Amino acid sequence: MDENKVLAEKFGLKTVDEIGSFPFVRDQISIVSYAFAKQKKILPVDQDEQMVTVAVADPLDIDALEELRLLLKKQINPIYCPHPIIESAIERCYHQKEGETKQLFSDLETGEKTEERETAEGYDLLERADQNPVIRMVNAILLEAIQQGASDVHFEPTEEGLSIRYRIDGCLQKRHTPPREYQIQILTRIKVMAKMDIAEHRLPQDGRIKLRHGGREIDFRVSTLPIVHGERIVLRILDKGNVLLGLDRIGMGSKILKAFRKLIQMPEGIVLVTGPTGSGKTTTLYSAIGEINDSQTNIITVEDPVEYKLAGISQMNVNPKIELDFAKGLRHILRQDPDVIMIGEIRDRETAEIAIQASLTGHLVLSTLHTNDAPSALTRLADMGIEPYLLASSILGVIAQRLVRQICPHCKKEYTPSEKELQELGLQPNGPFYKGEGCPSCFQTGYKGRHAIYELMPIGGKIKSQVLKSQDAQELRKVALAEGMKTLFEQGVELVTQGITTSAELLRVTKIDQGDL
């Protein structure tokens, strides 16, 4: 039982478990500073002419209520609500509103200035203190990117000025062009936050930023690249709160899910996840090791870098500066008595050979490769110089994946597909298709969110025989299809007929794969 709730009931306070329906929270109204609400763990949620209703997490904090009464010059009606609920409501109330970043740029262009004040690193992005215009601008950009669900933020100097784009649902969307005089200051500010050398403009640099957004911490992986018009900076947003981990939550069909679970329960062998950058491979690997993680299993990972920290799992970063690469890290992991090893990516022959030796000596190895489809993974390893008999005896299965954008539910509408569209999908006329018309919720794109599609190729007897004869991807694909493998394109077609995505999006994502059918 919650002790604070017991105290609240003892004092006669009304207790609630949810405050999202109260007017101030619903309409994002804030009548006290963010710092005050955050520090005191209280939030005004409603008011009339004489009284303000306030959600409190600590019913014994009389001083905070008295301070609020003097501040607002009204009577206070406290109600009890658990602290996590209040913290979430605070984040919602002080959420950056639509168009606020554009308004900030507009104000700066008209010459509006604010008093300069240096801010410590690691501050909360929701803090609304007066700041240097450049600090405010960078904060607003990062906050807007987080709120819009961006995975990356691109700062690209061009001949005309600085272009700022967000990658949302896998596609870049241009957002802002700050005043030209702020270009160098914005890029320098980001380098300072990432603890980079601000005097170095000729060499690429990597860094990391850790910030808070309300109640959660968010990491940004930062990369700079010298180009003709200045330094290009890309921030990868690593927001654990936005990541769905769990094999039953990442969109696998029931048949593939059952087969994949069988593979990762094997005591030894290699399971590979393939796909281009940004296709969700790391999420699939994390979900897989989360499924098999228990107190009796020693799981160790070597990653570049560790994107999300997982409880109960030993995770190691590669570090090229001290010559700690995947191969060297993998050798040392094998001395740590592991049961399961996750390798962020097999990039070279040395890493592949160690991974195969680990699998042949009683370890389950999970890793990724950059290939277009599942059969090509074996061809890629053969190209690295791995002997066919080692591939046949060590690889348990390969799963390829892509992410397709989902139709926005707010502007979704029916339409009748053309004959050409049906031919491209290999379908007969059978009911309407769906698409998004574009609305403010999806930033006029017609898409909101993404759905994964998978192609699983277990390495059975016939595929092993083919590997020993030839590692050609086309031949392997023919055998796999004969064995019942469903391709990425085929699973995508199912999503189109179910109204989850569009044929245009499917063809965009799987244009290489569907040409092989």
Side-chain angles (χ1 to χ4, degrees):
M1 184 74 177
D2 186 341
E3 292 182 4
N4 283 337
K5 186 174 183 179
V6 173
L7 283 172
E9 290 173 345
K10 186 175 181 181
F11 294 152
L13 296 185
K14 178 182 177 182
T15 63
V16 295
D17 294 322
E18 182 55 58
I19 53 177
S21 59
F22 281 84
F24 286 4
V25 182
R26 184 186 64 229
D27 301 330
Q28 288 184 269
I29 297 172
S30 50
I31 61 173
V32 297
S33 72
Y34 172 74
F36 182 87
K38 183 83 173 171
Q39 180 185 357
K40 304 294 185 182
K41 300 181 182 64
I42 63 178
L43 180 67
V45 295
D46 196 6
Q47 70 174 351
D48 55 30
E49 291 183 1
Q50 288 84 31
M51 188 173 294
V52 177
T53 300
V54 180
V56 301
D58 182 2
L60 295 178
D61 195 352
I62 307 300
D63 292 341
L65 294 174
E66 180 62 18
E67 191 175 340
L68 189 63
R69 185 183 69 80
L70 294 171
L71 182 69
L72 299 178
K73 297 181 173 59
K74 285 188 176 183
Q75 293 300 313
I76 303 299
N77 172 34
I79 61 174
Y80 171 77
C81 185
H83 178 234
I85 305 300
I86 290 182
E87 194 164 68
S88 176
I90 288 173
E91 183 178 329
R92 179 174 172 183
C93 277
Y94 293 86
H95 210 58
Q96 182 167 278
K97 295 176 178 62
E98 183 78 23
E100 196 167 317
T101 308
K102 284 187 178 179
Q103 184 59 47
L104 171 61
F105 289 153
S106 177
D107 291 342
L108 289 170
E109 285 174 345
T110 58
E112 183 183 300
K113 304 289 181 183
T114 53
E115 182 183 345
E116 183 170 335
R117 183 176 70 86
E118 188 55 49
T119 312
E121 298 299 334
Y123 55 79
D124 196 318
L125 282 171
L126 291 174
E127 185 66 67
R128 299 301 177 114
D130 288 337
Q131 293 166 330
N132 172 289
V134 175
I135 295 176
R136 289 175 57 212
M137 200 182 305
V138 173
N139 285 2
I141 292 166
L142 299 185
L143 187 53
E144 183 179 63
I146 292 167
Q147 291 173 185
Q148 293 186 6
S151 61
D152 303 83
V153 184
H154 291 233
F155 296 82
E156 184 175 6
T158 65
E159 196 172 353
E160 292 75 30
L162 184 67
S163 170
I164 298 175
R165 297 185 292 175
Y166 302 161
R167 187 175 294 281
I168 300 175
D169 294 335
C171 292
L172 281 172
Q173 300 177 21
K174 188 168 182 179
R175 282 290 181 270
H176 306 291
T177 305
R180 194 179 184 90
E181 62 267 26
Y182 288 101
Q183 174 175 317
I184 295 176
Q185 297 176 57
I186 288 173
L187 299 180
T188 301
R189 171 60 183 167
I190 295 170
K191 291 172 73 174
V192 168
M193 295 171 74
K195 298 179 173 60
M196 293 177 173
D197 182 355
I198 62 172
E200 180 56 75
H201 302 287
R202 300 166 301 167
L203 295 172
Q205 296 186 67
D206 292 308
R208 202 153 184 153
I209 301 172
K210 186 183 288 290
L211 298 175
R212 292 191 306 278
H213 178 223
R216 68 185 195 269
E217 286 190 348
I218 297 174
D219 285 350
F220 297 80
R221 205 168 70 213
V222 187
S223 170
T224 72
L225 184 72
I227 60 173
V228 173
H229 299 291
E231 278 187 286
R232 193 180 198 281
I233 297 182
V234 175
L235 281 70
R236 165 63 58 90
I237 301 174
L238 303 173
D239 183 3
K240 193 172 182 179
N242 274 350
V243 177
L244 290 176
L245 295 180
L247 291 180
D248 53 351
R249 303 175 67 193
I250 59 176
M252 278 192 188
S254 57
K255 188 176 178 181
I256 290 179
L257 178 58
K258 183 178 179 181
F260 187 64
R261 277 183 165 144
K262 185 177 178 181
L263 291 179
I264 63 173
Q265 296 292 341
M266 301 291 274
E268 57 191 49
I270 299 178
V271 178
L272 296 172
V273 182
T274 78
T277 301
S279 60
K281 299 187 299 295
T282 302
T283 300
T284 299
L285 283 182
Y286 279 171
S287 297
I289 61 177
E291 178 112 352
I292 57 181
N293 182 30
D294 57 42
S295 60
Q296 298 176 341
T297 306
N298 181 20
I299 302 176
I300 305 179
T301 76
V302 53
E303 305 171 57
D304 181 23
V306 172
E307 294 194 5
Y308 304 106
K309 296 178 178 66
L310 304 176
I313 293 170
S314 302
Q315 296 171 269
M316 181 176 76
N317 269 315
V318 300
N319 189 345
K321 293 179 181 177
I322 57 173
E323 297 181 355
L324 177 59
D325 56 15
F326 281 114
K328 190 171 183 179
L330 194 48
R331 281 197 200 93
H332 288 279
I333 283 175
L334 289 171
R335 299 170 192 161
Q336 293 284 316
D337 186 30
D339 298 302
V340 179
I341 302 168
M342 187 191 106
I343 308 168
E345 183 185 347
I346 295 178
R347 296 176 178 170
D348 50 51
R349 177 175 178 172
E350 188 179 11
T351 305
E353 286 177 340
I354 300 170
I356 286 174
Q357 291 304 320
S359 72
L360 294 174
T361 53
H363 305 89
L364 178 65
V365 179
L366 307 175
S367 188
T368 71
L369 270 179
H370 284 280
T371 62
N372 289 326
D373 57 13
S376 298
L378 299 179
T379 308
R380 175 87 177 93
L381 290 171
D383 288 343
M384 287 182 184
I386 304 301
E387 295 293 339
Y389 72 89
L390 290 174
L391 294 176
S393 58
S394 62
I395 309 294
L396 297 173
V398 184
I399 187 166
Q401 66 181 83
R402 296 288 191 282
L403 294 174
V404 293
R405 291 181 293 172
Q406 296 182 129
I407 300 169
C408 174
H410 303 287
C411 58
K412 183 175 180 178
K413 73 161 192 173
E414 290 185 6
Y415 76 97
T416 302
S418 66
E419 188 175 331
K420 180 183 177 183
E421 191 174 353
L422 291 170
Q423 284 178 350
E424 288 178 326
L425 299 178
L427 296 175
Q428 297 296 323
N430 185 24
F433 278 20
Y434 296 86
K435 64 180 179 180
E437 290 189 294
C439 66
S441 179
C442 61
F443 311 108
Q444 306 303 325
T445 63
Y447 298 98
K448 192 173 182 65
R450 288 191 287 179
H451 194 291
I453 53 176
Y454 298 92
E455 172 181 284
L456 178 61
M457 184 179 78
I459 309 299
K462 290 186 178 180
I463 294 178
K464 286 184 180 182
S465 299
Q466 179 60 42
V467 169
L468 293 172
K469 286 190 287 186
S470 167
Q471 300 83 51
D472 179 72
Q474 295 299 328
E475 295 301 320
L476 287 169
R477 170 177 276 259
K478 288 177 183 176
V479 176
L481 290 173
E483 291 283 281
M485 181 182 81
K486 180 177 286 188
T487 66
L488 290 165
F489 184 71
E490 287 172 329
Q491 191 186 353
V493 169
E494 289 184 6
L495 297 185
V496 172
T497 57
Q498 292 167 14
I500 295 173
T501 191
T502 65
S503 58
E505 174 67 5
L506 174 62
L507 293 170
R508 179 186 74 85
V509 171
T510 63
K511 55 190 173 188
I512 296 174
D513 307 283
Q514 62 101 16
D516 295 335
L517 290 176

